Amino acid sequence: MFTLKDLRPGQKACVGSIAVEGLMRRKLMDMGVTPGVEIQVNKTAPFGDPIEVRLRGYSLSLRKKDAENILMVQ
Amino acid sequence: MKYKIALAGNPNSGKTTLFNCLTGSNLYVGNWPGVTVEKKEGNLRDTNKDITLVDLPGIYSLAPYSMDEIVSRNFLLEERPDLIINIIDASNIERNLYLSTQLMELNCPMVGALNMMDVVKKTGVEIDVREMEKIFGYPFIEISAQKETGIDELIKLVEKTLEIKKLKEFPQIFPPEIMTLFNEFDELLQNKYPEILAGYPRLFRVIKLIEKDEEVLLKIHNNSDLLEDIAVVRKKIEVLSKHDVDSAIADYRYRFITAGISQATRKTKENAIQFQEKLDKVLMNRYAALPIFFLFMFVIYYVSITLVGDITIGGIEWFINDVLMVGVAAVLGNLGAADWIIALINDGVIAGVGAVLTFVPQLVVLFIFISILEDSGYMARVAFIMDRIFRHFGLSGKSFIPMVVGLGCSVPGIMATRTLENERERKLTAVLTPFISCGAKMPIYVLMASVFFVQYQTLLVFSLYLVSLTVVFGSGFVLSKTWFKGADSGYLLEIPPLRLPKLRNTATQVWQRTKEFIVRAGTIIFAVSVVLWFLQSFTIGFQMATAPDESILATFGKVIAPVFVPLGFGNWVASVALLTGIAAKEMIISTMSVLSSGQGGSLTQSISQIFTPVSAYSFVIFVLLASPCMAAVATMKKELGNWRDFLFALAYQIGLAYAVSFVVYQVGSRIFV
Ligand SMILES: Nc1nc2c(ncn2[C@@H]2O[C@H](COP(=O)(O)OP(=O)(O)OP(=O)(O)O)[C@@H](O)[C@H]2O)c(=O)[nH]1
Ligand SMILES: [Mg+2]
């Protein structure tokens, strides 16, 4: 089991399930973070957080706190 | 027949650019999500129909998150436009179409505008619009709002679609077994709860109830029977889809889209790594990002203040003092005008208005830089870089965007806080944004620096920006633990691609802002200067004052002045200037200019008499931090909503300014005797 947070810049994997709670969960889905979608991590911010990822042809940034609740599969 | 047409689409998809192009307006355009925060109306040009076009804040979905997004949703739902122009950033088509699948549920005629085709063509993607229409059930057209291509065709398509009376059925996005569930639930609603959300489109109502959308739940007032029925359907969907309801519904939509676009789009060539991506790597480099940001800010102030100032200020002052004033005196003198009229025009109007206009070239350059920051896509990147720091101070990286906008003017800065989802963070950001110095305050610093700190102008001004950043962070830290206490809303931000700022866009924006500044000079500042001149030329007994010290203004100023003694500028001129500065910040300079020319000296001379270097710095800090101008105060009241927070914010801003200036002066005057 690994999460989006475990990916290093340049690596990609597919979303398995999303264990984020509350409004953020629905927002993530609206932004296209749904089960099965492929996500690549682009970079980490200067202070180590947040991270920038690429999915569905665009770039999205989110905090590690949320990334560690997005479970990934190969 | 009057028509109302809404422009709906994702943030940053080019709605406002298209709106400006279709209506001939000059609304605010920028390269980050959340530029437009209010709905704006305009009349469609180049058509013989009577069409009102409405520009809406961008939304990612019809779920309400922030204030500006709620505006869009409510407009689409409650005001029911005759047609929706669904603007889609075709270079980010998959995510953009997600909203389209929700708009399709509103039962409203729709036209899809595939925007940014100029970008798409370069990346070698082809879109088959006929195929798109077949799949999504409404017509599409390729446009570029910025290059103004495809606009006439879009207008024609809109006119044609308005004439079609009968709405075509939109295609089904969900698989048949889910649709059966939806239809059953719809029937149940109609039979059992006919009064609930009666005016809403059917499918929209069904899905929003099943999703337990917050706004919709508020409207059903805890109807426990209905909530139970909802729970039953939710269970069924979960069993069928093997996912929870939220991800199931989002997933079905995205599946429909992915299947659709793989059919309707074709990639003709692989695109090479672009210059933008390389630049992005440098700008966002782990180690370089922060220094680059501060370097940018420093360069902006160095160029606009020192470089431009050195070139322009001398010439303008020479023109005002030695050409204009001398000329006016000579011409009016020849015409036989009374001395007091000449004095009114020279010492009142020209001194007051001229003092402000002297800084126009510097402001223009500052505005150019700000506009480039806004249009390049750097804003969202700074939010990304800063999030980690801002989090420690009770804010999120997104709070930084209103603050950068506030560098130009606090009013749009405070309004930009509407894109923050969390009420606590939004209010806190609205209270902190005025601490970021706006463009109108810059002339004051420059003037003071030119009298006392000639060699260190840029450094002085830059130090003020550091002071304001410190105050923002410090206040954020304290207030988020006291007055604006609560949970944080998290951070999720789209990072738009870097774009080369468009000359025309920059020019319009700079012109708008400069015009506003000049108009203020011609109206408020003109009027107040005249009034000030009278008040300082007459005594309380309405005699011509022999010395300015006896004037009405001086008498009045001396009443307030003691308040500022501990800060080092307890004289009546400074006090009056601070008061008039409430109308507009640049009024502070006008006031000093009118008052000093009344006393027969030059502005710099009288400033060097009134202030010492330390008290000048303390004065400038007070101006920087103490409550913003009237317009910004009114905006703050509007955004905070209630009197309690508003009065607190005002007291906090003024109190803090007083405290910081007090410390600066008391400590400073002991060190530099
Ligand atoms: N290359 C290109 N850029 C465009 C086009 N249309 C808009 N832009 C740019 O896209 C950015 C966003 O444009 P806006 O019109 O502010 O977008 P908006 O949809 O109103 O955004 P919000 O108000 O935040 O919802 C700006 O930098 C525009 O210059 C286009 O057709 N081609
Ligand atoms: Mg807009």
Side-chain angles (χ1 to χ4, degrees), chain B residues 373-483:
Chain B
L373 275 187
E374 292 176 345
D375 214 20
S376 61
Y378 192 55
M379 294 281 254
R381 286 171 172 74
V382 180
F384 172 69
I385 295 169
M386 294 291 183
D387 179 63
R388 184 64 203 268
I389 308 179
F390 269 64
R391 208 179 315 164
H392 286 296
F393 302 100
L395 299 162
S396 90
K398 278 196 205 175
S399 307
F400 203 68
I401 293 175
M403 294 181 187
V404 179
V405 176
L407 285 175
C409 172
S410 302
V411 172
I414 297 170
M415 281 172 56
T417 58
R418 289 186 198 171
T419 58
L420 294 159
E421 293 90 4
N422 176 301
E423 175 168 325
R424 181 192 70 77
E425 266 171 28
R426 180 171 61 74
K427 288 184 169 177
L428 181 53
T429 310
V431 173
L432 299 182
T433 300
F435 285 136
I436 298 292
S437 178
C438 71
K441 289 178 181 172
M442 191 179 84
I444 305 161
Y445 315 148
V446 178
L447 181 69
M448 287 297 190
S450 71
V451 178
F452 294 106
F453 314 97
V454 188
Q455 276 126 19
Y456 313 102
Q457 270 198 30
T458 315
L459 215 57
L460 171 98
V461 176
F462 201 66
S463 82
L464 290 174
Y465 283 87
L466 293 183
V467 168
S468 79
L469 269 189
T470 315
V471 166
V472 165
F473 285 137
S475 301
F477 187 76
V478 173
L479 293 182
S480 66
K481 295 200 165 32
T482 51
W483 191 272

Side-chain angles (χ1 to χ4, degrees), chain B residues 63-81:
Chain B
Y65 297 112
S66 59
M67 276 172 79
D68 59 324
E69 293 174 327
I70 292 174
V71 169
S72 295
R73 161 164 153 149
N74 285 349
F75 182 84
L76 294 171
L77 272 179
E78 322 270 325
E79 299 196 30
R80 315 255 49 210

Side-chain angles (χ1 to χ4, degrees), chain B residues 278-559:
Chain B
K278 288 184 196 150
L279 181 65
D280 199 24
K281 283 229 162 67
V282 178
L283 288 179
M284 307 270 279
N285 178 286
R286 265 193 101 142
Y287 305 100
L290 214 55
I292 288 179
F293 171 73
F294 280 104
L295 182 72
F296 276 165
M297 293 318 255
F298 189 80
V299 167
I300 291 177
Y301 285 100
Y302 179 73
V303 172
S304 56
I305 290 174
T306 309
L307 283 189
V308 178
D310 283 350
I311 301 170
T312 58
I313 287 192
I316 299 176
E317 276 177 351
W318 168 80
F319 176 77
I320 290 176
N321 295 328
D322 298 348
V323 179
L324 203 57
M325 288 199 182
V326 174
V328 165
V331 171
L332 288 182
N334 280 340
L335 290 175
D339 278 352
W340 73 267
I341 294 198
I342 298 177
L344 167 65
I345 292 182
N346 273 345
D347 303 342
V349 176
I350 298 183
V353 176
V356 168
L357 293 184
T358 313
F359 297 95
V360 166
Q362 284 168 296
L363 279 175
V364 169
V365 174
L366 178 70
F367 292 152
I368 291 176
F369 279 117
I370 295 177
S371 166
I372 291 175
L373 275 187
E374 292 176 345
D375 214 20
S376 61
Y378 192 55
M379 294 281 254
R381 286 171 172 74
V382 180
F384 172 69
I385 295 169
M386 294 291 183
D387 179 63
R388 184 64 203 268
I389 308 179
F390 269 64
R391 208 179 315 164
H392 286 296
F393 302 100
L395 299 162
S396 90
K398 278 196 205 175
S399 307
F400 203 68
I401 293 175
M403 294 181 187
V404 179
V405 176
L407 285 175
C409 172
S410 302
V411 172
I414 297 170
M415 281 172 56
T417 58
R418 289 186 198 171
T419 58
L420 294 159
E421 293 90 4
N422 176 301
E423 175 168 325
R424 181 192 70 77
E425 266 171 28
R426 180 171 61 74
K427 288 184 169 177
L428 181 53
T429 310
V431 173
L432 299 182
T433 300
F435 285 136
I436 298 292
S437 178
C438 71
K441 289 178 181 172
M442 191 179 84
I444 305 161
Y445 315 148
V446 178
L447 181 69
M448 287 297 190
S450 71
V451 178
F452 294 106
F453 314 97
V454 188
Q455 276 126 19
Y456 313 102
Q457 270 198 30
T458 315
L459 215 57
L460 171 98
V461 176
F462 201 66
S463 82
L464 290 174
Y465 283 87
L466 293 183
V467 168
S468 79
L469 269 189
T470 315
V471 166
V472 165
F473 285 137
S475 301
F477 187 76
V478 173
L479 293 182
S480 66
K481 295 200 165 32
T482 51
W483 191 272
F484 294 105
K485 206 159 41 183
D488 76 319
S489 70
Y491 163 97
L492 190 66
L493 184 65
E494 177 181 2
I495 308 285
L498 285 176
R499 292 200 185 100
L500 206 61
K502 293 295 163 322
L503 191 64
R504 185 157 47 130
N505 206 350
T506 309
T508 335
Q509 232 123 97
V510 170
W511 168 237
Q512 294 283 331
R513 285 176 182 155
T514 313
K515 194 175 72 181
E516 216 166 276
F517 187 81
I518 295 177
V519 165
R520 269 204 316 264
T523 51
I524 301 187
I525 294 178
F526 179 93
V528 178
S529 299
V530 171
V531 173
L532 281 178
W533 182 83
F534 274 107
L535 290 180
Q536 83 140 1
S537 304
F538 294 93
T539 63
I540 301 258
F542 288 100
Q543 304 285 316
M544 205 66 172
T546 41
D549 257 14
E550 297 163 3
S551 65
I552 306 180
L553 204 56
T555 318
F556 178 68
K558 282 175 190 160
V559 176

Side-chain angles (χ1 to χ4, degrees), chain A residues 25-27 30 56 61, chain B residues 61 94 98 211 244 421:
Chain A
R25 173 188 172 77
R26 194 169 288 171
K27 276 201 86 168
D30 284 346
R56 301 190 188 272
S61 61
Chain B
S61 77
E94 194 171 336
Y98 179 76
E211 283 181 335
D244 61 292
E421 293 90 4

